[in-house]
Amino acid sequence: MKKSISCILQVFILLSSTGCNDTAIDNFNSAETSPHLSPDYSGVTIPYNISPINFRIDEKGSLYKVIMTADEGPGISIKSEDGRIVIPRGKWEDFTSKNKGRNFIIDVFVKSGNKKWIKYKPVQNTIAAEPIDPYLYYRLLYPGYESWSELSINMRKIQGFKTKTIIKNSIAEENCVNCHSFNNGRTGDFLFHMRGSVGGTFFYTDKGFRKTNLKTKEMKNGAVYPRWHPSGKYVVFSTNKIIQQFHSAGNKKVDVADLESSLVLYDVEKSIITDINLPGKVNSMDTYPEWSPDGRHLYFCRAPQIKEEYDYAAIRYNLYRVEFNPSGSMTEEPKLVFNADTIGKSVSFPRISPDGRFLVFTIADYGCFPIWHKEADLWLLDLTSMKAGRMDLNSDFTDSYHSLSSNGRWIVFSCKKDDDLVAKPYISYIDSSGKSTKPFILPQKDPDFYNGLLKSFNLPEFATFEIKSNPHIIRKAVFSGAIQAEWANSFLTGNDKQSKNSE
Amino acid sequence: MTSKVKTVNKITSDRLLSWLPYIVLFSGMYIWFTYVAGYILFFQEKSALFILSFDYLSETITKPGGFVVWLSGLLTSFYYYPASGAIVISLTITIISFILSHTLFTLSGKNEKILPFVTALLLFLLHTDYSYFLMNSLGILLQILFFYFVIRTIHLMKGWLAIIFLPVLYFLTGGFVWVFIFLLILYFLLFFKERIVPRISSIFVLMSLIFGVSGSFIFFENASKLLFSPVIFPVEKLSALLFTTTSILIILLPLIAVVRFPVLNFFRLTYSSEKILRSALLLCAVLLISIYSFDRKDHNYFHVEKLFYERKFGDIIRYNTEHPSTNSLTLFYNNIALSETDQLNDKLFSFIQTSDGKTLFLKWEMVTEILKRGGYFYYTTGMINEAHRWAYENIVMSGMTPEGIKMLIKTEVINCHYRMAEKYIRILKKTLFYKNEARRLEKFLYNDEAVESDAELGSGRKTRVKSDFFTITDDPIVNVERVIQGDSLNRSAFGYFMAFSLLKKDYKSLSRNAVQYERLGYKAFPVHIEEALLAIETMNNSESAYKGCLKISKATQDRWIGFLTIFQQYGNNPRAAEPALRKSYGNTFWYWAFYK
């Protein structure tokens, strides 16, 4: 009877309390441990303009209370019966915007039945003064082998939870969509590839999407990994001949390698494509291009050209750079920027911070497809001192594809630390000296969202603008005629154009 | 008083009699699905995994027709038990027939039963095809149910209510809505005297708007998906024809209601005799369909598959011995069963085999039926990563299935990838009938000792490939060769390798590798290897191909003499000797080597 009365009283107290309750808990026992939060939002630095960091308290209990406090403004107090802490967006925005550049504390209280409340050690976090880019674009797909069914490129508003599908392959005969690429917040440029029956490369313009067929008869392989020149006039692509193989044993399931690769330059306005005639290209595989923010240097990864018989685990890429000549003909000898081979590693995905100070790349034991490499880590190269080192944000699992925000203070990357298979978007703050903080996962409305997630957030890319499009608009572009790129020996000598096919 | 009782009794018996045809229809179908055609339920239940969660619900119902998909998934999961599955199908068909009958009565005032029962029988016939899924019948049921509701409440807004609700009905039932639309148009044409054109044109305008708006701004699907999804047109020609006929028959319901069929008034029967006659006819029809539709081959195949999923390998071999099959998938399962019981090279030729090895392993193909099954060969030979890949690719292409997710869990557990296994187990726990299996598998998480002491998982971990190589999916035997190069003690892979050598009559390989049996701890050669070695010895002019310690049994030597004697009796003429050799030695390598 007493139990029933106590239960009724508890229910009454809960019903009478609102989602946010500022009542302080005076009578509690203190625990010596920190609470387990899922996702782990402890000891992290977050931007002030991010969505509420909803989480679950992974501690046994029947009643939970969280109090968030900082120097400025009222704190946030939330009660929960199941440990799910869903923070009201309005209060959160008010809280974070008033406490830019300050620390904040999360006090977690847990009560089991009639026992006293337990107060765990406070969780300390920081709200950075620098904002994060407002949008995150990513491809959502099964982290599988070679087949796909439903694929989409989505946009997530980082300040809220709104997600919008920009492209989905069901509108385009289930073709594969990939390699979405922005111009690092400098312009409104965007492109993506579609492979298959209605394939092409789609450039985002004021009038929608322009479908282009970049492959010309002079090109041995199709255009793959793109990077926009900061001016928005050019895009450099690597052209790759890729193979995929499957391991019969061990943790690594898939290996992707290039058999050949080189770089080409595309003039967006004129739709002309030309070979980048880098010295030494014949005996090399060049891939993963990147521009310096001033557009004067082109960085890329280079490995010796493999022979017919080769050891896949011995292919190692180093980082090079060359001065950019818009004619496409770059005769200067590429300079070795980072020699990964000497430390038994291989470089991929070089990305330069907008101020040109740092270059972040992925490093793995071999090859150029690190998402399947458990040992893959992010390294930071200081371009002034040319010193490189492993970033603090890395985990013991795959830390790969990354994108830097337009102010250079935030990095989002694909991390598999939760289950070693599904890549999730983790974000970290990078200070002016290049030091990164403990990464946190992109917050979701449902704190349990990632627990059941079987699809990967592939190629997470920050962006400063919203693509005004939807799959319907893209469908129109997909089924429209493609503009055929023209091949030229160089941009400057227009007479050298070799083909003028157009559909 | 007595007359009152009589009247009550009469009413009761009339009511019972009015239900009799439905009872006969339901019972006939129920018995057939429960006791005869459980294989249909088995196949369909194993085709998809229904997850009972809010996430799954919201993910499913946010597409046009998603509600039917969800409901159909929920009900199909009851096929797990033949009895409950039989109730679901039989009840769906009976309810359709019941609603059709009441709709006809509401439209015409006639107690007409022919169309409802003919439709029910057609649907029953459709459901006897294992590739015809419940969703189609359920979609039709929802349309006629809504139509019945519309004509019963037609006085409310004179048909406009039905038009207003069209978008909702489309959202819930997707492409099935066409059945309702045609029913409604016909109903307006035949039962309305005025303002027919505005009503019908409103339907078309509204539907064009729905497709235009939803296609461009909401669902972003292509036209054919928007128009017809989730209707599944049967693959079989006969089933496709039946499905179209049934749909047309239902659509013509308002027309049938107004047409007078003289033949129906030909027989003047009493109420009770009419009901009894109708029930008898129904029973006959159900019986005829049951006999006509039972497919022995499908039954046998799915029975073997069921035993295979239950890992009852001994039962599979016994069953296939009693019911010899020519189905390559049945033989594929049977060979795995032989391998699992270490009898592959003892009994290989007791069953039909093909020289290209297709009964031993399946070549990689992006086809659901191949992807779904091909991985089991790799699982049994210790190529756990490859088994995982086949299961995973199938899930990416065709969605989760109960056996698919179980394979993912088992392979992840064997490979010590407990975190992903845990994720899959969490999904399995959210099903209606696989909770216990999920709990059983959960016990292995983060518990290497439990895994290693389990017969299946422990053996998988012990024999799993440890020396890495890239798999060649187009040529499975190359994978087997690489497995035994890296792990010469993998009995199962070696068994398959030798079986393939037997099928290929590769005498060099057989002679060279026979010695391996000793290393693997065999006390005697498998029968077919003995047969091969004896044959090789004869070909080599009595020089033994094998120099090791194992001896060829006396029984095999005697049988070889017997074989040669028969051959000689027919003057060393292979063609003449064939019938006699087939009779006595058809299950030997010698017969295979001579005649295949």
Side-chain angles (χ1 to χ4, degrees):
Chain A
M1 185 65 184
K2 264 185 182 176
K3 263 191 177 175
S4 319
I5 293 169
S6 143
C7 276
I8 293 165
L9 273 173
Q10 275 190 17
V11 171
F12 178 75
I13 290 164
L14 277 172
L15 288 174
S16 58
S17 63
T18 57
C20 297
N21 190 317
D22 290 331
T23 321
I25 296 170
D26 300 324
N27 195 9
F28 58 80
N29 290 333
S30 294
E32 289 302 305
T33 53
S34 299
H36 289 103
L37 308 185
S38 167
D40 181 8
Y41 292 120
S42 62
V44 296
T45 300
I46 58 165
Y48 65 86
N49 61 334
I50 198 160
S51 52
I53 51 166
N54 298 334
F55 57 85
R56 174 182 284 284
I57 303 166
D58 272 343
E59 301 291 348
K60 276 188 180 171
S62 53
L63 206 55
Y64 301 81
K65 183 159 180 168
V66 160
I67 299 171
M68 295 182 183
T69 48
D71 291 350
E72 286 296 316
I76 301 173
S77 173
I78 297 159
K79 256 188 181 177
S80 160
E81 281 178 80
D82 58 1
R84 290 172 86 248
I85 303 298
V86 179
I87 306 163
R89 197 174 150 192
K91 290 200 171 195
W92 172 256
E93 283 176 6
D94 187 47
F95 180 75
T96 51
S97 59
K98 280 181 179 155
N99 291 290
K100 287 177 198 167
R102 294 193 170 97
N103 291 336
F104 76 100
I105 287 170
I106 304 175
D107 280 317
V108 174
F109 298 85
V110 178
K111 189 175 164 68
S112 296
N114 292 329
K115 289 180 188 168
K116 255 189 179 179
W117 285 95
I118 294 170
K119 185 189 176 192
Y120 286 86
K121 273 187 167 176
V123 172
Q124 304 237 13
N125 290 322
T126 306
I127 300 167
E130 296 91 339
I132 198 165
D133 286 351
Y135 304 101
L136 182 76
Y137 289 80
Y138 56 91
R139 191 163 69 132
L140 199 62
L141 80 171
Y142 280 108
Y145 299 83
E146 55 184 331
S147 58
W148 69 85
S149 51
E150 284 179 7
L151 276 182
S152 62
I153 294 176
N154 301 332
M155 182 206 76
R156 160 75 187 269
K157 282 189 177 173
I158 292 185
Q159 192 150 20
F161 295 110
K162 199 178 164 194
T163 302
K164 185 178 156 188
T165 302
I166 304 296
I167 304 150
K168 69 174 186 177
N169 71 333
S170 61
I171 54 101
E173 299 176 0
E174 268 73 36
N175 280 203
C176 177
V177 286
N178 54 34
C179 294
H180 50 281
S181 173
F182 292 88
N183 197 345
N184 281 0
R186 290 180 283 248
T187 65
D189 298 318
F190 171 74
L191 70 83
F192 73 92
H193 291 307
M194 189 172 279
R195 313 265 180 220
S197 53
V198 285
T201 301
F202 295 79
F203 290 84
Y204 183 56
T205 69
D206 301 340
K207 293 169 196 159
F209 279 90
R210 189 188 80 195
K211 182 177 176 178
T212 308
N213 182 12
L214 295 175
K215 178 101 166 44
T216 69
K217 63 180 184 340
E218 291 79 6
M219 291 165 70
K220 208 171 165 192
N221 302 303
V224 184
Y225 306 118
R227 286 311 278 172
W228 286 88
H229 187 267
S231 66
K233 283 183 180 175
Y234 314 106
V235 183
V236 62
F237 290 93
S238 62
T239 67
N240 310 58
K241 187 176 182 182
I242 303 168
I243 56 153
Q244 204 176 10
Q245 289 170 295
F246 309 107
H247 289 275
S248 61
N251 281 329
K252 202 174 289 168
K253 290 172 179 163
V254 182
D255 237 301
V256 182
D258 283 352
L259 298 179
E260 295 164 0
S261 65
S262 65
L263 301 176
V264 291
L265 190 68
Y266 177 67
D267 185 318
V268 180
E269 209 172 288
K270 296 174 187 162
S271 196
I272 296 171
I273 198 159
T274 186
D275 201 357
I276 296 181
N277 288 310
L278 292 172
K281 65 171 257 186
V282 180
N283 298 317
S284 311
M285 296 191 290
D286 297 338
T287 189
Y288 293 132
E290 169 66 327
W291 297 100
S292 61
D294 58 10
R296 288 172 54 196
H297 288 96
L298 177 66
Y299 289 75
F300 59 95
C301 302
R302 171 175 276 189
Q305 176 62 52
I306 52 165
K307 307 236 161 41
E308 209 166 302
E309 293 280 313
Y310 67 95
D311 175 8
Y312 71 94
I315 306 170
R316 295 204 176 88
Y317 289 78
N318 294 321
L319 184 65
Y320 286 82
R321 86 169 181 195
V322 69
E323 208 165 299
F324 172 57
N325 176 354
S327 71
S329 178
M330 290 172 234
T331 48
E332 183 206 357
E333 191 69 36
K335 281 184 188 152
L336 181 64
V337 177
F338 181 74
N339 191 334
D341 194 17
T342 53
I343 54 167
K345 296 283 181 184
S346 182
V347 171
S348 47
F349 306 130
R351 293 286 181 269
I352 301 179
S353 62
D355 59 4
R357 168 92 193 273
F358 303 115
L359 187 149
V360 180
F361 54 80
T362 307
I363 209 157
D365 285 350
Y366 63 88
C368 60
F369 215 77
I371 196 70
W372 288 106
H373 290 240
K374 194 177 175 180
E375 79 285 356
D377 276 333
L378 297 181
W379 279 40
L380 185 133
L381 172 70
D382 187 329
L383 289 171
T384 48
S385 67
M386 297 310 274
K387 280 188 178 163
R390 185 178 183 265
M391 296 177 82
D392 293 337
L393 52 76
N394 288 297
S395 68
D396 293 338
F397 294 84
T398 309
D399 301 289
S400 182
Y401 192 88
H402 50 282
S403 165
L404 290 155
S405 66
S406 57
N407 60 9
R409 288 282 83 89
W410 300 96
I411 185 170
V412 61
F413 61 102
S414 297
C415 177
K416 293 189 175 180
K417 73 174 174 182
D418 295 325
D419 52 38
D420 200 14
L421 178 69
V422 178
K424 294 167 188 166
Y426 273 79
I427 299 168
S428 172
Y429 176 78
I430 303 175
D431 69 16
S432 54
S433 65
K435 197 168 162 49
S436 59
T437 56
K438 178 182 168 183
F440 62 94
I441 202 162
L442 176 74
Q444 298 289 346
K445 196 170 188 175
D446 177 6
D448 298 328
F449 174 86
Y450 292 108
N451 291 345
L453 184 73
L454 294 178
K455 287 185 176 178
S456 274
F457 277 67
N458 181 244
L459 306 184
E461 283 276 358
F462 281 130
T464 50
F465 68 101
E466 181 176 354
I467 296 169
K468 301 286 181 203
S469 182
N470 61 43
H472 174 66
I473 293 172
I474 289 165
R475 177 165 52 198
K476 278 187 180 170
V478 166
F479 292 101
S480 66
I483 295 168
Q484 176 62 52
E486 295 172 16
W487 181 261
N489 286 340
S490 78
F491 286 159
L492 288 181
T493 53
N495 293 338
D496 291 343
K497 285 179 195 175
Q498 290 188 348
S499 73
K500 288 190 176 180
N501 331 323
S502 61
E503 279 176 34
Chain B
M1 191 66 182
T2 328
S3 72
K4 225 177 188 179
V5 171
K6 270 186 180 172
T7 314
V8 171
N9 284 343
K10 173 91 172 67
I11 291 169
T12 315
S13 74
D14 281 356
R15 195 168 284 169
L16 272 175
L17 276 174
S18 73
W19 282 99
L20 188 63
Y22 295 111
I23 294 167
V24 167
L25 181 69
F26 176 84
S27 312
M29 292 188 293
Y30 174 78
I31 291 166
W32 196 75
F33 282 113
T34 309
Y35 299 104
V36 184
Y39 65 91
I40 294 171
L41 307 178
F42 166 78
F43 168 77
Q44 297 194 354
E45 194 272 331
K46 293 289 182 201
S47 297
L49 186 72
F50 180 79
I51 300 159
L52 198 63
S53 75
F54 181 74
D55 285 346
Y56 184 75
L57 173 71
S58 57
E59 193 187 313
T60 316
I61 63 164
T62 45
K63 293 170 193 161
F67 174 70
V68 184
V69 175
W70 183 85
L71 189 64
S72 152
L74 172 70
L75 295 175
T76 305
S77 66
F78 283 90
Y79 290 13
Y80 185 85
Y81 296 112
S84 55
I87 289 176
V88 168
I89 298 182
S90 312
L91 209 57
T92 304
I93 297 173
T94 311
I95 291 172
I96 288 175
S97 155
F98 183 78
I99 295 168
L100 285 177
S101 166
H102 278 65
T103 308
L104 268 177
F105 184 76
T106 309
L107 288 174
S108 64
K110 291 184 286 186
N111 199 6
E112 182 50 59
K113 292 283 192 289
I114 290 183
L115 172 77
F117 287 127
V118 166
T119 310
L121 291 170
L122 286 173
L123 284 170
F124 175 42
L125 195 55
L126 273 168
H127 275 280
T128 60
D129 171 5
Y130 71 83
S131 63
Y132 179 83
F133 283 77
L134 181 70
M135 188 155 60
N136 283 359
S137 300
L138 220 49
I140 289 172
L141 169 62
L142 291 174
Q143 305 312 313
I144 57 169
L145 192 65
F146 191 58
F147 182 69
Y148 179 65
F149 171 76
V150 166
I151 58 169
R152 293 289 299 203
T153 57
I154 201 71
H155 55 279
L156 288 179
M157 281 176 74
K158 297 188 174 171
W160 288 104
L161 197 64
I163 297 170
I164 293 166
F165 269 99
L166 265 180
V168 179
L169 190 66
Y170 170 68
F171 182 68
L172 294 174
T173 62
F176 291 107
V177 79
W178 292 111
V179 172
F180 176 77
I181 288 171
F182 286 119
L183 273 171
L184 197 63
I185 290 171
L186 216 52
Y187 175 64
F188 284 150
L189 286 170
L190 297 169
F191 289 84
F192 274 60
K193 285 181 180 139
E194 53 191 31
R195 297 202 174 165
I196 297 169
V197 176
R199 283 184 173 88
I200 293 176
S201 31
S202 303
I203 293 174
F204 284 111
V205 169
L206 191 63
M207 287 316 288
S208 309
L209 268 173
I210 291 171
F211 289 125
V213 172
S214 66
S216 306
F217 303 107
I218 307 171
F219 304 120
F220 307 118
E221 294 292 357
N222 59 38
S224 71
K225 261 196 182 172
L226 281 174
L227 287 171
F228 300 114
S229 178
V231 182
I232 305 170
F233 284 96
V235 186
E236 291 283 325
K237 271 187 186 171
L238 179 66
S239 295
L241 181 72
L242 278 175
F243 182 60
T244 315
T245 311
T246 312
S247 306
I248 292 170
L249 210 57
I250 290 168
I251 287 164
L252 293 177
L253 193 72
L255 183 68
I256 292 163
V258 293
V259 174
R260 289 191 166 274
F261 296 101
V263 70
L264 302 180
N265 300 323
F266 187 76
F267 300 106
R268 296 263 174 228
L269 296 167
T270 61
Y271 181 80
S272 51
S273 50
E274 186 202 323
K275 297 289 170 195
I276 291 165
L277 180 67
R278 193 170 280 166
S279 304
L281 284 171
L282 261 178
L283 186 64
C284 290
V286 169
L287 276 172
L288 274 174
I289 292 172
S290 303
I291 295 163
Y292 163 79
S293 306
F294 179 70
D295 190 317
R296 172 66 59 189
K297 279 184 188 167
D298 289 346
H299 172 273
N300 291 1
Y301 170 74
F302 289 119
H303 182 71
V304 168
E305 189 162 76
K306 188 169 183 291
L307 292 172
F308 184 80
Y309 289 155
E310 292 164 358
R311 295 183 65 79
K312 292 180 178 167
F313 300 120
D315 291 351
I316 292 173
I317 299 162
R318 258 191 303 281
Y319 188 82
N320 282 328
T321 309
E322 286 162 21
H323 306 89
S325 172
T326 53
N327 182 305
S328 62
L329 289 175
T330 307
L331 295 163
F332 169 73
Y333 282 142
N334 193 62
N335 284 336
I336 293 179
L338 289 173
S339 171
E340 289 281 352
T341 50
D342 207 5
Q343 302 179 78
L344 186 61
N345 293 313
D346 288 303
K347 291 189 173 172
L348 185 71
F349 298 112
S350 298
F351 304 91
I352 292 170
Q353 306 294 340
T354 56
S355 56
D356 56 6
K358 276 183 182 170
T359 48
L360 285 179
F361 29 69
L362 305 177
K363 279 189 182 176
W364 175 264
E365 234 183 298
M366 281 290 193
V367 176
T368 307
E369 297 310 314
I370 300 292
L371 276 183
K372 208 163 129 180
R373 299 169 174 94
Y376 287 104
F377 156 72
Y378 291 105
Y379 186 71
T380 208
T381 50
M383 292 182 67
I384 303 301
N385 278 13
E386 193 60 6
H388 181 87
R389 181 164 85 93
W390 285 62
Y392 195 94
E393 293 283 50
N394 187 44
I395 279 175
V396 171
M397 297 298 289
S398 319
M400 293 261 185
T401 61
E403 296 309 314
I405 197 166
K406 279 194 301 199
M407 178 59 107
L408 290 187
I409 295 168
K410 288 192 278 189
T411 48
E412 294 288 29
V413 166
I414 289 170
N415 273 336
C416 309
H417 298 157
Y418 292 124
R419 286 203 271 196
M420 270 319 290
E422 192 175 11
K423 229 171 183 179
Y424 296 131
I425 287 173
R426 219 177 287 144
I427 294 170
L428 204 59
K429 269 185 167 177
K430 288 179 188 165
T431 58
L432 283 171
F433 299 106
Y434 292 95
K435 280 193 175 89
N436 288 341
E437 181 66 6
R439 284 190 201 109
R440 184 186 78 81
L441 291 165
E442 196 175 28
K443 286 177 188 155
F444 298 111
L445 291 177
Y446 310 102
N447 188 347
D448 289 338
E449 208 176 301
V451 174
E452 278 150 24
S453 56
D454 180 73
E456 181 188 352
L457 300 176
S459 148
R461 186 170 283 184
K462 203 173 151 192
T463 57
R464 76 182 156 139
V465 176
K466 287 164 194 94
S467 157
D468 187 28
F469 58 86
F470 287 131
T471 54
I472 310 288
T473 41
D474 290 339
D475 201 350
I477 196 64
V478 175
N479 295 326
V480 174
E481 283 168 5
R482 289 182 182 180
V483 170
I484 50 180
Q485 269 166 24
D487 176 11
S488 55
L489 298 178
N490 185 326
R491 274 191 175 213
S492 176
F494 180 69
Y496 267 96
F497 174 75
M498 292 303 268
F500 189 70
S501 300
L502 288 169
L503 290 183
K504 286 283 169 197
K505 302 170 198 171
D506 186 344
Y507 299 108
K508 267 189 188 170
S509 165
L510 290 164
S511 320
R512 198 173 48 236
N513 294 296
V515 69
Q516 194 63 21
Y517 281 101
E518 272 177 69
R519 289 189 202 139
L520 286 165
Y522 281 83
K523 301 285 176 229
F525 283 119
V527 173
H528 294 322
I529 302 299
E530 286 189 333
E531 290 166 356
L533 291 175
L534 275 176
I536 295 165
E537 199 178 303
T538 308
M539 284 191 291
N540 291 350
N541 295 323
S542 303
E543 193 188 331
S544 175
Y546 165 72
K547 316 279 184 202
C549 301
L550 295 182
K551 297 271 179 284
I552 293 172
S553 68
K554 172 94 176 31
T556 307
Q557 291 185 23
D558 291 346
R559 282 192 303 113
W560 179 227
I561 292 165
F563 182 90
L564 293 175
T565 309
I566 293 177
F567 193 63
Q568 283 158 2
Q569 276 169 2
Y570 287 89
N572 292 342
N573 181 345
R575 189 177 283 182
E578 195 275 336
L581 289 174
R582 180 164 18 101
K583 196 178 168 194
S584 308
Y585 298 94
N587 60 352
T588 63
F589 170 71
W590 305 316
Y591 181 82
W592 174 265
F594 267 58
Y595 297 105
K596 297 284 176 172

